[in-house]
Structures are given as C-alpha cells and as structure tokens.
Amino acid sequence: WKAVLRRHHARNMFAFFRVSVAGYTPQTIVFKLDNDKCPKTCDNFIAICQSRAKAFRPTSSTSASHDAVEPTYRGTEFHRIIPGFMAQGGDFSKFDGTGGFAAPTTNDGKATFPDECFDISHDREGILSMANRGKNTNGSQFFITLGKAQHLDGKHVAFGSVVRNMECVKQIAQVETDANGKPVAMQRVVIIDCGIGTGDDDPDSNSSSSSSICSVSSKKKRRRRSRKYESSSRKKKRKRSRSSHRRQRDSDSDEDNDSSRKHKKKSKEKTSHRRTEERDHETKKRQKKHDDRHRKKGRH
C-alpha cells in the first residue's frame, strides 16, 4: 500500500466506486481526491479502496474486531441517506453506522486518526467528506453531500468530490428509506467494487478485483448479448413461422371458400336444370292428355 500511496501522493488522484442502486446494474462514480490538502485522509481512503477483502453483513457468528474484519469498501452499503443533505457509507463491520475503523497500514494500527484539514467547504453537492463521532475520530466512514451543508465546515474533513456520474448519486438519494434514513431491504445501495483511478482501462486505475470482475462481467455481458441475440432470432423465426402458417391457413381457407362456392354454384345449376326438365316433362304430359282428348271427340 505504501508504494502505491507514495506513487500518487504528490498530485490529485482519482478513486472510484461501482455502485448498485436497488439491485440494478452497477454504475461507476468517480471521485477526485485532494492529496495536497488532506494527504493522510486520502491515504486512508485509498488504502481501504485498494483492499482485497470484501465486506459481508454481520451475523451472530461474526465479530467486528480488527482481527476478524479487514477494512474495505467492497461489499459495503450506504447505510444512511437523507435527501438534500448527504449519503453515508463505509461501515464494513456492522453495516449500521456504528462500526468500521481506519486502515491499519496508514494509521499505525489505530482505529481512528485526527482531523487533518478544514480548507475544503461543504458548499455544494458531491463533496466527499469523513464521517466521525466527534473531534479527531475519523475512521472508515464517509459521506457524499447531496446539497449545501456548510454547517459541517470545521467539524468534518472534506477531502474530495464527485467528478463523474453525479446522476448516480442523485439516484441514491431517491431510494426508499425508513425513519432513520436506512434504505429498506429492496432498495439497498451496495458498493460492488472500488479502487483508485477512474475505473476505466487506464494505467492509473487499479483495483484488486476490478480486472477479474471486469473480465467476468464482460463475459457475462457477451453471454447475455448472445442469449439475447439467440432469443431475438428465435422470436423472429417463430414470428416468420407463425406468419407463414397464417398465410397458408388463409390460403387454404380461400381455396376452401372457392371450392365451396363452386360446389354451391354447380348444385344450383343442377337443381335449376332438373326443375326445368321436370317442368318440360309436365308440359308434355298435359299436352299429350289434351291431344288424346281431342282425338276421342273427333271419333264420336
């Protein structure tokens, strides 16, 4: 960690979160960290971002001690969200705002470290700042402002800001929460991955799992696209087949109708011809009777 931090210490650098809001596809939020004004605070944040560990919700069998939990933002949640004010996260041990501690590698194993600098104001949305439990109690928890919060100046150390995808932060602010600002179960906001850099395929981006996760996710995306393509192809084939069957059925129906019409026409013609013959036959019989009657009268 120290080698990484030394390499980036002399200039502003970037860090990123890949965040899933309410179970949707993860989006990347990029932060610009102010190393010049808050080097120790930035080092702490970077070290936790760079951790290879993944946080899990605590159970009765897990502990929040330094030995049982490694500081990390990967797998953690934004446990407190107040629209128009801030979204808070970074509790990797208890997930409720009462846990978490500073990165041991940057703070000599201590759980907290002192306030470093108050030069950056909470004067707009997107400011990245340290959460605390009072003076000089910075650990792992942080918050992102969702509006002006200048009443926090001098109390919380702001050390960066969101420079990409503030839209995702605004989506975080819109999730359903309980009375204490905790997102409800189906609306949880989870940090799927994190690291330094912008999260793109650039030389400055570095995450212990981002390469593997990206490769896996890209494979999944390819498989998903392939399945989607196959599915759409099948749908098109079924649609064409149905259309073909429908046309054939309509054609057969038309042929049946034609044959039926022809048959009816022939039947009518036959019936008409038979009636004509019957009428002619009756006429001949009547004429014959008439002639026979006249001949008999002539004889008498």
Side-chain angles (χ1 to χ4, degrees):
W1 307 121
K2 291 182 179 179
V4 172
L5 296 175
R6 279 197 302 270
R7 188 164 66 248
H8 295 280
H9 187 74
R11 60 185 174 84
N12 287 339
M13 63 174 298
F14 299 95
F16 70 90
F17 287 163
R18 287 198 177 92
V19 179
S20 173
V21 181
Y24 284 93
T25 304
Q27 303 179 61
T28 302
I29 301 173
V30 180
F31 305 99
K32 183 178 180 181
L33 307 180
D34 197 334
N35 279 323
D36 292 335
K37 295 178 180 178
C38 306
K40 189 177 184 66
T41 307
C42 291
D43 289 353
N44 178 71
F45 188 81
I46 292 165
I48 300 175
C49 280
Q50 285 286 93
S51 171
R52 296 178 181 273
K54 182 177 180 180
F56 296 94
R57 281 184 158 272
T59 62
S60 57
S61 60
T62 59
S63 170
S65 68
H66 284 57
D67 297 331
V69 182
E70 180 180 342
T72 182
Y73 292 134
R74 189 174 296 104
T76 62
E77 301 173 7
F78 282 83
H79 58 267
R80 187 173 177 231
I81 301 170
I82 303 176
F85 179 32
M86 61 87 194
Q88 184 175 340
D91 185 352
F92 52 80
S93 59
K94 294 186 178 180
F95 282 61
D96 60 3
T98 63
F101 45 85
T105 53
T106 59
N107 198 40
D108 301 323
K110 297 177 183 178
T112 62
F113 60 92
D115 298 327
E116 186 173 22
C117 177
F118 297 118
D119 288 353
I120 302 174
S121 175
H122 302 80
D123 57 354
R124 57 188 171 87
E125 63 180 11
I127 296 296
L128 179 63
S129 186
M130 293 299 295
N132 58 43
R133 289 186 288 271
K135 188 176 180 180
N136 298 323
T137 57
N138 300 288
S140 61
Q141 293 189 42
F142 62 88
F143 63 88
I144 304 170
T145 58
L146 302 175
K148 290 183 178 181
Q150 289 171 297
H151 61 283
L152 301 180
D153 293 350
K155 299 176 183 178
H156 294 265
V157 177
F159 61 99
S161 61
V162 175
V163 292
R164 186 192 299 177
N165 207 358
M166 190 63 198
E167 291 78 13
C168 181
V169 179
K170 292 178 180 178
Q171 290 175 23
I172 293 172
Q174 294 173 0
V175 301
E176 183 182 352
T177 61
D178 61 17
N180 297 319
K182 181 180 179 181
V184 297
M186 298 300 291
Q187 298 275 299
R188 287 174 181 162
V189 182
V190 183
I191 300 174
I192 303 298
D193 191 25
C194 54
I196 60 171
T198 60
D200 303 322
D201 295 330
D202 58 56
D204 287 336
S205 293
N206 185 13
S207 169
S208 59
S209 65
S210 61
S211 58
S212 60
I213 287 176
C214 286
S215 62
V216 171
S217 62
S218 61
K219 288 179 183 177
K220 286 183 179 178
K221 285 179 182 177
R222 283 196 294 271
R223 283 199 296 268
R224 211 174 288 128
R225 286 195 208 102
S226 177
R227 284 197 296 269
K228 189 175 180 182
Y229 175 75
E230 290 174 3
S231 177
S232 62
S233 298
R234 286 196 213 99
K235 285 180 181 177
K236 287 179 182 177
K237 286 181 181 178
R238 283 199 298 270
K239 192 172 181 181
R240 284 197 295 267
S241 178
R242 283 196 295 269
S243 299
S244 176
H245 287 314
R246 196 179 296 113
R247 284 195 298 271
Q248 184 65 38
R249 189 173 64 247
D250 293 342
S251 176
D252 293 343
S253 177
D254 291 340
E255 289 178 1
D256 291 341
N257 290 334
D258 289 341
S259 63
S260 177
R261 282 194 294 270
K262 288 178 182 178
H263 179 71
K264 287 180 180 179
K265 187 176 180 181
K266 286 182 180 179
S267 298
K268 285 182 180 180
E269 288 175 353
K270 285 181 180 180
T271 303
S272 176
H273 183 68
R274 188 171 61 251
R275 287 176 180 172
T276 303
E277 287 180 344
E278 288 175 354
R279 281 196 300 272
D280 291 343
H281 182 68
E282 290 293 329
T283 303
K284 285 179 181 180
K285 282 175 71 177
R286 282 195 298 271
Q287 185 66 37
K288 187 178 179 182
K289 284 182 181 181
H290 181 72
D291 292 342
D292 288 344
R293 199 176 297 121
H294 275 287
R295 275 196 299 272
K296 284 181 183 180
K297 285 182 180 180
R299 287 174 189 169
H300 292 297

Short mmCIF file of all heavy atoms in Angstrom, two decimals, residues 9 26 28 37 48 72 91 93 109 113-114 120 123-124 164 177 190 193 209 212-213 216 224 256 264 268 290:
data_model
loop_
_atom_site.label_atom_id
_atom_site.label_comp_id
_atom_site.label_asym_id
_atom_site.label_seq_id
_atom_site.Cartn_x
_atom_site.Cartn_y
_atom_site.Cartn_z
N HIS A 9 1.06 10.29 -4.31
CA HIS A 9 0.90 11.24 -3.22
C HIS A 9 1.10 12.69 -3.64
O HIS A 9 0.49 13.60 -3.10
CB HIS A 9 1.88 10.90 -2.10
CG HIS A 9 1.65 11.73 -0.87
ND1 HIS A 9 0.60 11.52 -0.02
CD2 HIS A 9 2.34 12.79 -0.36
CE1 HIS A 9 0.66 12.39 0.98
NE2 HIS A 9 1.70 13.17 0.79
N PRO A 26 -24.64 -2.13 -11.82
CA PRO A 26 -23.71 -1.21 -11.16
C PRO A 26 -23.31 -0.04 -12.08
O PRO A 26 -23.12 -0.22 -13.27
CB PRO A 26 -22.51 -2.10 -10.84
CG PRO A 26 -23.06 -3.48 -10.77
CD PRO A 26 -24.16 -3.52 -11.79
N THR A 28 -20.57 3.45 -12.24
CA THR A 28 -19.30 3.92 -11.70
C THR A 28 -19.36 5.39 -11.30
O THR A 28 -19.73 6.24 -12.11
CB THR A 28 -18.17 3.72 -12.73
OG1 THR A 28 -18.10 2.34 -13.09
CG2 THR A 28 -16.83 4.16 -12.15
N LYS A 37 -4.09 18.89 0.17
CA LYS A 37 -4.61 19.45 1.41
C LYS A 37 -4.84 18.39 2.49
O LYS A 37 -4.70 18.69 3.67
CB LYS A 37 -5.93 20.19 1.12
CG LYS A 37 -5.74 21.43 0.23
CD LYS A 37 -7.08 22.10 -0.05
CE LYS A 37 -6.89 23.34 -0.93
NZ LYS A 37 -8.17 23.98 -1.25
N ILE A 48 -8.24 1.72 1.91
CA ILE A 48 -9.46 0.92 2.07
C ILE A 48 -10.05 0.57 0.70
O ILE A 48 -10.56 -0.54 0.50
CB ILE A 48 -10.49 1.68 2.94
CG1 ILE A 48 -9.90 1.95 4.33
CG2 ILE A 48 -11.78 0.90 3.08
CD1 ILE A 48 -10.77 2.79 5.24
N THR A 72 -12.44 -2.43 4.17
CA THR A 72 -12.71 -2.44 2.73
C THR A 72 -14.04 -1.73 2.48
O THR A 72 -14.91 -1.69 3.36
CB THR A 72 -12.79 -3.87 2.19
OG1 THR A 72 -13.01 -3.83 0.77
CG2 THR A 72 -13.92 -4.67 2.84
N ASP A 91 -19.22 1.64 6.58
CA ASP A 91 -19.22 0.76 7.76
C ASP A 91 -19.12 -0.69 7.29
O ASP A 91 -20.12 -1.34 7.01
CB ASP A 91 -20.50 0.97 8.57
CG ASP A 91 -20.50 0.18 9.88
OD1 ASP A 91 -19.58 -0.64 10.08
OD2 ASP A 91 -21.42 0.37 10.69
N SER A 93 -17.99 -3.27 9.03
CA SER A 93 -18.07 -4.29 10.08
C SER A 93 -19.48 -4.51 10.61
O SER A 93 -19.87 -5.64 10.91
CB SER A 93 -17.13 -3.92 11.24
OG SER A 93 -17.48 -2.65 11.79
N GLY A 109 -2.07 1.08 12.90
CA GLY A 109 -2.94 0.13 13.59
C GLY A 109 -4.01 0.75 14.48
O GLY A 109 -4.79 0.02 15.10
N PHE A 113 -8.10 8.43 13.43
CA PHE A 113 -7.00 9.37 13.27
C PHE A 113 -7.54 10.80 13.36
O PHE A 113 -8.73 11.04 13.15
CB PHE A 113 -6.24 9.14 11.95
CG PHE A 113 -7.07 9.28 10.71
CD1 PHE A 113 -7.16 10.49 10.04
CD2 PHE A 113 -7.77 8.19 10.20
CE1 PHE A 113 -7.91 10.63 8.89
CE2 PHE A 113 -8.53 8.31 9.05
CZ PHE A 113 -8.59 9.53 8.39
N PRO A 114 -6.68 11.76 13.65
CA PRO A 114 -7.13 13.14 13.92
C PRO A 114 -7.65 13.86 12.67
O PRO A 114 -7.35 13.48 11.54
CB PRO A 114 -5.87 13.83 14.45
CG PRO A 114 -4.94 12.73 14.81
CD PRO A 114 -5.24 11.59 13.90
N ILE A 120 -11.46 22.63 2.73
CA ILE A 120 -12.49 22.39 1.71
C ILE A 120 -13.87 22.54 2.34
O ILE A 120 -14.17 21.92 3.36
CB ILE A 120 -12.33 21.00 1.07
CG1 ILE A 120 -10.93 20.85 0.45
CG2 ILE A 120 -13.40 20.76 0.01
CD1 ILE A 120 -10.63 19.47 -0.06
N ASP A 123 -19.86 23.22 0.40
CA ASP A 123 -20.67 24.29 -0.16
C ASP A 123 -21.50 23.88 -1.37
O ASP A 123 -22.14 24.71 -2.01
CB ASP A 123 -19.78 25.47 -0.52
CG ASP A 123 -18.67 25.08 -1.50
OD1 ASP A 123 -18.54 23.88 -1.80
OD2 ASP A 123 -17.94 25.99 -1.94
N ARG A 124 -21.50 22.58 -1.70
CA ARG A 124 -22.25 22.13 -2.87
C ARG A 124 -22.47 20.63 -2.78
O ARG A 124 -21.91 19.96 -1.89
CB ARG A 124 -21.49 22.47 -4.16
CG ARG A 124 -20.07 21.90 -4.23
CD ARG A 124 -19.30 22.42 -5.42
NE ARG A 124 -17.90 22.05 -5.38
CZ ARG A 124 -17.41 20.91 -5.86
NH1 ARG A 124 -18.21 20.02 -6.42
NH2 ARG A 124 -16.12 20.66 -5.78
N ARG A 164 -17.49 12.50 -11.69
CA ARG A 164 -18.18 11.78 -12.76
C ARG A 164 -19.37 11.01 -12.18
O ARG A 164 -19.27 10.37 -11.15
CB ARG A 164 -17.24 10.81 -13.48
CG ARG A 164 -17.91 10.14 -14.70
CD ARG A 164 -17.11 8.98 -15.25
NE ARG A 164 -15.80 9.40 -15.71
CZ ARG A 164 -14.89 8.54 -16.18
NH1 ARG A 164 -15.16 7.25 -16.20
NH2 ARG A 164 -13.70 8.97 -16.56
N THR A 177 -36.35 4.87 2.21
CA THR A 177 -35.67 4.66 3.50
C THR A 177 -36.68 4.63 4.64
O THR A 177 -37.83 5.04 4.48
CB THR A 177 -34.64 5.78 3.77
OG1 THR A 177 -35.34 7.05 3.82
CG2 THR A 177 -33.59 5.84 2.67
N VAL A 190 -25.39 -0.75 -2.76
CA VAL A 190 -24.21 -1.57 -2.45
C VAL A 190 -23.03 -1.16 -3.32
O VAL A 190 -23.18 -0.96 -4.53
CB VAL A 190 -24.52 -3.07 -2.66
CG1 VAL A 190 -23.32 -3.92 -2.28
CG2 VAL A 190 -25.74 -3.49 -1.86
N ASP A 193 -17.72 -2.78 -6.27
CA ASP A 193 -16.27 -2.77 -6.48
C ASP A 193 -15.75 -1.37 -6.24
O ASP A 193 -16.51 -0.39 -6.25
CB ASP A 193 -15.93 -3.24 -7.89
CG ASP A 193 -14.45 -3.52 -8.08
OD1 ASP A 193 -13.77 -3.81 -7.07
OD2 ASP A 193 -13.96 -3.46 -9.23
N SER A 209 -9.82 -6.42 -7.52
CA SER A 209 -10.74 -7.36 -8.17
C SER A 209 -11.33 -6.81 -9.45
O SER A 209 -12.06 -7.51 -10.13
CB SER A 209 -11.89 -7.69 -7.22
OG SER A 209 -12.66 -6.55 -6.97
N SER A 212 -10.49 -8.85 -12.69
CA SER A 212 -11.19 -10.12 -12.76
C SER A 212 -12.69 -9.90 -12.88
O SER A 212 -13.37 -10.58 -13.65
CB SER A 212 -10.89 -10.97 -11.52
OG SER A 212 -11.31 -10.30 -10.36
N ILE A 213 -13.20 -8.92 -12.11
CA ILE A 213 -14.63 -8.65 -12.17
C ILE A 213 -15.02 -8.13 -13.55
O ILE A 213 -16.03 -8.53 -14.11
CB ILE A 213 -15.03 -7.63 -11.09
CG1 ILE A 213 -14.98 -8.31 -9.72
CG2 ILE A 213 -16.39 -7.04 -11.33
CD1 ILE A 213 -15.26 -7.39 -8.57
N VAL A 216 -14.98 -11.02 -15.96
CA VAL A 216 -16.15 -11.86 -15.73
C VAL A 216 -17.41 -11.17 -16.20
O VAL A 216 -18.25 -11.77 -16.88
CB VAL A 216 -16.27 -12.23 -14.23
CG1 VAL A 216 -17.60 -12.92 -13.96
CG2 VAL A 216 -15.12 -13.13 -13.79
N ARG A 224 -24.84 -12.69 -22.27
CA ARG A 224 -26.18 -12.13 -22.22
C ARG A 224 -26.60 -11.62 -23.60
O ARG A 224 -27.72 -11.84 -24.04
CB ARG A 224 -26.21 -10.99 -21.20
CG ARG A 224 -27.55 -10.82 -20.52
CD ARG A 224 -27.49 -9.78 -19.42
NE ARG A 224 -26.75 -10.22 -18.26
CZ ARG A 224 -25.77 -9.56 -17.68
NH1 ARG A 224 -25.39 -8.39 -18.15
NH2 ARG A 224 -25.16 -10.04 -16.62
N ASP A 256 -60.69 -23.29 -49.91
CA ASP A 256 -61.90 -23.98 -49.46
C ASP A 256 -63.14 -23.16 -49.78
O ASP A 256 -64.16 -23.71 -50.22
CB ASP A 256 -61.83 -24.22 -47.94
CG ASP A 256 -60.76 -25.25 -47.56
OD1 ASP A 256 -60.35 -26.01 -48.47
OD2 ASP A 256 -60.36 -25.27 -46.39
N LYS A 264 -71.46 -24.97 -54.61
CA LYS A 264 -72.80 -24.41 -54.48
C LYS A 264 -73.35 -23.97 -55.83
O LYS A 264 -74.55 -24.17 -56.14
CB LYS A 264 -72.76 -23.21 -53.52
CG LYS A 264 -72.60 -23.59 -52.07
CD LYS A 264 -72.58 -22.35 -51.20
CE LYS A 264 -72.40 -22.73 -49.72
NZ LYS A 264 -72.35 -21.54 -48.85
N LYS A 268 -76.63 -25.42 -57.57
CA LYS A 268 -77.72 -24.57 -58.03
C LYS A 268 -78.04 -24.83 -59.50
O LYS A 268 -79.21 -24.88 -59.92
CB LYS A 268 -77.35 -23.10 -57.83
CG LYS A 268 -77.43 -22.63 -56.40
CD LYS A 268 -77.09 -21.15 -56.31
CE LYS A 268 -77.18 -20.68 -54.87
NZ LYS A 268 -76.85 -19.23 -54.76
N HIS A 290 -104.23 -33.48 -73.55
CA HIS A 290 -105.09 -32.59 -74.33
C HIS A 290 -105.32 -33.14 -75.73
O HIS A 290 -106.46 -33.15 -76.26
CB HIS A 290 -104.46 -31.19 -74.37
CG HIS A 290 -105.26 -30.18 -75.12
ND1 HIS A 290 -106.45 -29.64 -74.64
CD2 HIS A 290 -105.08 -29.62 -76.34
CE1 HIS A 290 -106.95 -28.80 -75.51
NE2 HIS A 290 -106.10 -28.77 -76.58
#
